[in-house]
Amino acid sequence: MNRRRFLGAGLASLGAACGVPAARTRGAPRPVALAGERLAALEDVRRLAVEHADPLLGRCRYVTHLGTRQAAQPILLARRGERFDAVIENALPQPTTVHFHGLTLPEAQDGAGFDPIAPGARKRVRFEVKNRSGLYWFHPHPHGFTAEQVYGGLTGLLVVSDEDDDALDAGLGLAPGNRLALAIADARVAGGVIRPYAPSVEDCLHGWLGNRALANGRLDARWSVAPGWVRLQILNACNARGLLLAFRDGETRLPFHLLGTDGGLLAAPRELERVFLYTGERVDVAIDVSGRRALAAVSLEFDPRHHTGDAAPRHRHPGRAQYAPLAPVTVCESGGAAHDHFADGAELPLFRLVVEGSAGTKPPPVPQRLSSLPAAMAFADAPTRRMRLDFDERAGFLIDQAPYRIEENAFSVQRGAREVWEIKNSPISMPHPMHLHGFGFRVLRRRGTYGAARDLATEPGGRLATDLGVKDTVVMWPNETVWLALDFSLPDEAAFHGAQRYMLHCHNLEHEDGMMMRNFTVL
Ligand code: C2O
Ligand code: CU
Ligand code: CU
């Protein structure tokens, strides 16, 4: 494919939407099959309060004020091209931000932590949704406090729809209620209560892991669906746990179709029996539940390949000394008290679907064309930028040996440039879900994958099934080198003019707070 053709296809595929007139489509159709009491239109949000709901246990929540009503922990809906314009109020005893993960945003609206909102303060945030249909999400991003606040319950979903999304729902013949947007997290639960965030030094190294799954904040969550296709858009919202997602009816594992990834729909569906997603990643899947009474979504056991020996680096979060934790506990300072949690890779039940009503006619076949996403191809003449993920016995996990400094700029990129990023993970390491702000990207190939991770590499170029789509977060197994294709085009609009700072970081939230993050600038 030559440069010109890729440029045309690339812009659409990378979600930057430049040149595509983002028509205002107020009153445009919402996904009617989407279930849930907590749905709210992004455009209707006037105020977004970040509340400290339970100071004893450190629980927090988002409350949206929508004019006449309010919704706690809402699932926001937007049509591509719609706008968000709201005041964010920080009612936490710590600084916070609201970062819309996966959206194409200018630095000033990205909530990346350069300019946190102080306790008791407020900030107006406004932007237009430029991205393709898909599941995006929002969460706090104040450096040093992100993991604690996300674990405290601050995870919100944003479902973006467009014409491809409408066509897919129609093609699947989705019954009302047969589409769900789900955030899966894990928590340390004892006596039915979610315990506060109190990681030991070891937890800060491997990440804070729980013993129970929460689906949209609920333990033992279940949804009723009708026979036929069910479409699930699923976010791994855990602080640190990978999910090897599968569906079971009793002991039988059920096939499903992967429809989309972080940045929207694939070109064509991919039939699978399991799919791997690390923290921050999303999948969009369709499963036929006809003839079933109930099915269980589980994370299957897998070899997580944490190879870090006995190292016990201690993190110092520069900002933390000034603010109390969300619950009366210590963070990353305790001597490693034994908490109740399962290792990464342990089997974990996630949620259940209960099928109600009798099967009518056979559901239609899955549409074979989902979007106009082109195949990912190397940019023949794009320069390569090389990075390494390192493990340091004293400092922990780092990018290019450099612990995060908020004022540092690791490198600059020309606006509109295309680059290939070659990122190599150390053999002494663990999986790192690497996340980029501002831009979606494509995964070109993987090399050096070994052990159980090889079985997940089912696609050409040693890639995972999730590598087929637009990504903003990509898992890197120990010893792997991953090549990414990036297009640094930004919309030609005033909000994006001038240098824009973004970041690359690990979305294991303990690694993110623990300095595995770097800033870069688009000039
Ligand atoms: Cu989901 Cu920089 O974050
Ligand atoms: Cu992000
Ligand atoms: Cu990491």
Side-chain angles (χ1 to χ4, degrees), residues 241-244 276 278 299-304 344-347 477:
R241 178 180 297 282
L243 300 174
L244 183 53
F276 190 78
Y278 230 94
S299 181
L300 303 173
E301 189 175 350
F302 65 92
D303 175 0
D344 193 17
E347 179 164 326
W477 292 90

Side-chain angles (χ1 to χ4, degrees), residues 99 101 112 137 139 141 280 435 437 503 505 507 509 512 517:
H99 168 61
H101 177 130
W137 62 299
H139 63 79
H141 214 303
H435 170 53
H437 285 213
M503 47 173 57
H505 64 82
H507 221 289
L509 297 180
E512 174 178 341
M517 180 150 82

Side-chain angles (χ1 to χ4, degrees), residues 103-316:
L103 293 192
T104 303
L105 295 175
E107 174 187 333
Q109 313 298 326
D110 192 39
F114 299 122
D115 185 20
I117 310 169
R122 38 172 67 201
K123 180 179 184 175
R124 184 168 173 194
V125 171
R126 34 184 172 169
F127 58 80
E128 182 184 308
V129 176
K130 304 280 183 192
N131 298 70
R132 310 166 77 220
S133 57
L135 180 64
Y136 301 88
W137 62 299
F138 54 102
H139 63 79
H141 214 303
H143 185 48
F145 301 90
T146 299
E148 184 183 14
Q149 293 181 11
V150 172
Y151 178 75
L154 295 178
T155 293
L157 297 175
L158 169 63
V159 179
V160 176
S161 62
D162 62 11
E163 272 139 40
D164 287 339
D165 186 81
D166 300 343
L168 174 56
D169 281 6
L172 293 170
L174 287 186
N178 274 28
R179 176 169 170 181
L180 296 166
L182 302 174
I184 308 293
D186 64 336
R188 292 194 186 181
V189 176
V193 172
I194 299 174
R195 308 309 306 169
Y197 186 71
S200 64
V201 169
E202 200 215 327
D203 293 326
C204 286
L205 179 63
H206 294 276
W208 170 258
L209 298 157
N211 58 356
R212 299 278 298 279
L214 300 171
N216 290 355
R218 303 210 302 269
L219 292 164
D220 300 314
R222 54 175 61 211
W223 280 269
S224 298
V225 292
W229 289 110
V230 175
R231 181 176 172 195
L232 303 168
Q233 290 176 288
I234 299 177
L235 158 71
N236 181 340
C238 300
N239 278 37
R241 178 180 297 282
L243 300 174
L244 183 53
L245 175 70
F247 299 92
R248 280 194 197 135
D249 179 358
E251 287 309 303
T252 318
R253 225 198 271 169
L254 306 177
F256 58 89
H257 299 265
L258 181 69
L259 307 170
T261 58
D262 305 349
L265 295 171
L266 303 178
R270 176 82 173 85
E271 189 168 350
L272 298 170
E273 280 208 339
R274 53 184 197 166
V275 67
F276 190 78
L277 66 164
Y278 230 94
T279 58
E281 293 189 283
R282 288 88 72 203
V283 290
D284 192 338
V285 301
I287 184 163
D288 181 6
V289 300
S290 306
R292 314 267 163 201
R293 307 184 74 147
L295 51 104
V298 295
S299 181
L300 303 173
E301 189 175 350
F302 65 92
D303 175 0
R305 309 256 319 278
H306 292 216
H307 302 309
T308 54
D310 297 323
R314 290 175 75 86
H315 303 302
R316 292 260 169 260

Side-chain angles (χ1 to χ4, degrees), residues 275-442:
V275 67
F276 190 78
L277 66 164
Y278 230 94
T279 58
E281 293 189 283
R282 288 88 72 203
V283 290
D284 192 338
V285 301
I287 184 163
D288 181 6
V289 300
S290 306
R292 314 267 163 201
R293 307 184 74 147
L295 51 104
V298 295
S299 181
L300 303 173
E301 189 175 350
F302 65 92
D303 175 0
R305 309 256 319 278
H306 292 216
H307 302 309
T308 54
D310 297 323
R314 290 175 75 86
H315 303 302
R316 292 260 169 260
H317 301 297
R320 286 206 66 99
Q322 301 167 48
Y323 298 97
L326 294 171
V329 291
T330 53
V331 174
C332 275
E333 294 292 342
S334 56
H339 287 281
D340 190 9
H341 69 274
F342 298 155
D344 193 17
E347 179 164 326
L348 193 69
L350 303 178
F351 62 90
R352 295 176 68 77
L353 297 177
V354 180
V355 187
E356 282 170 0
S358 53
T361 52
K362 196 171 151 21
V366 184
Q368 285 307 296
R369 187 184 170 285
L370 303 177
S371 76
S372 54
L373 185 71
M377 21 204 105
F379 301 169
D381 44 6
T384 300
R385 191 182 292 278
R386 294 186 175 80
M387 282 172 243
R388 296 184 63 97
L389 310 182
D390 305 300
F391 179 62
D392 182 291
E393 297 262 333
R394 281 173 307 142
F397 293 108
L398 301 174
I399 302 170
D400 285 335
Q401 312 276 6
Y404 183 67
R405 284 191 300 118
I406 202 160
E407 67 284 356
E408 180 222 44
N409 183 50
F411 54 88
S412 297
V413 174
Q414 279 306 323
R415 183 177 300 249
R418 280 163 299 142
E419 296 191 352
V420 172
W421 285 12
E422 178 188 303
I423 309 182
K424 180 160 182 17
N425 193 3
S426 155
I428 308 299
S429 192
M430 56 180 276
H432 296 292
M434 299 305 294
H435 170 53
L436 187 73
H437 285 213
F439 303 90
F441 54 82
R442 305 296 300 275

